[in-house]
Amino acid sequence: MINLPTTIEGFVQAQNERDSASFSHYFTADATVSDEGHTYSGRAEIREWIQQATEKYQMQTRPINYQQSGASAILTVEVAGTFPGSPAVMQYHLELDNSLISSLRFTG
């Protein structure tokens, strides 16, 4: 297991536990998530998005690398689930605002 900041560790744990309410609280009130061509804004939309995504794909993530420079971070994870190509290595591009996530987008 790699050493992660508390916020990132909690965010990953909440996603793996499919706890959408806890997951959304790791984001700022006006945070954005960009996924599959859509952008979700604010905690309520982010909570709904992660709930639907985890139900649809039954995802589990395993962090394999973390790099942070200032307020920008990249979390590399192995994601397994019921999606084509599982498991896959993805990068979570994060912008941080103090101890919360203000922006998240995915590549991989």
Side-chain angles (χ1 to χ4, degrees):
M1 180 79 176
I2 63 172
N3 189 23
L4 297 172
T6 303
T7 295
I8 304 306
E9 186 176 325
F11 155 83
V12 169
Q13 182 177 349
Q15 182 176 354
N16 285 339
E17 292 175 355
R18 299 187 181 118
D19 184 346
S20 58
S22 290
F23 180 89
S24 66
H25 286 288
Y26 288 99
F27 290 82
T28 62
D30 60 350
T32 60
V33 172
S34 298
D35 184 37
E36 297 182 331
H38 301 292
T39 299
Y40 306 91
S41 299
R43 287 185 181 136
E45 284 188 18
I46 291 169
R47 182 176 53 247
E48 181 66 26
W49 159 78
I50 196 62
Q51 181 69 37
Q52 290 179 1
T54 55
E55 286 176 6
K56 181 176 180 180
Y57 297 118
Q58 301 297 306
M59 298 177 301
Q60 289 290 301
T61 60
R62 183 178 62 87
I64 53 179
N65 192 29
Y66 182 78
Q67 298 175 326
Q68 184 173 343
S69 178
S72 297
I74 298 174
L75 174 64
T76 304
V77 297
E78 181 183 74
V79 182
T82 59
F83 55 89
S86 175
V89 174
M90 298 181 68
Q91 291 187 320
Y92 290 14
H93 299 264
L94 303 144
E95 292 296 323
L96 305 170
D97 183 353
N98 294 316
S99 63
L100 296 175
I101 300 164
S102 62
S103 174
L104 170 62
R105 68 180 177 82
F106 304 93
T107 59

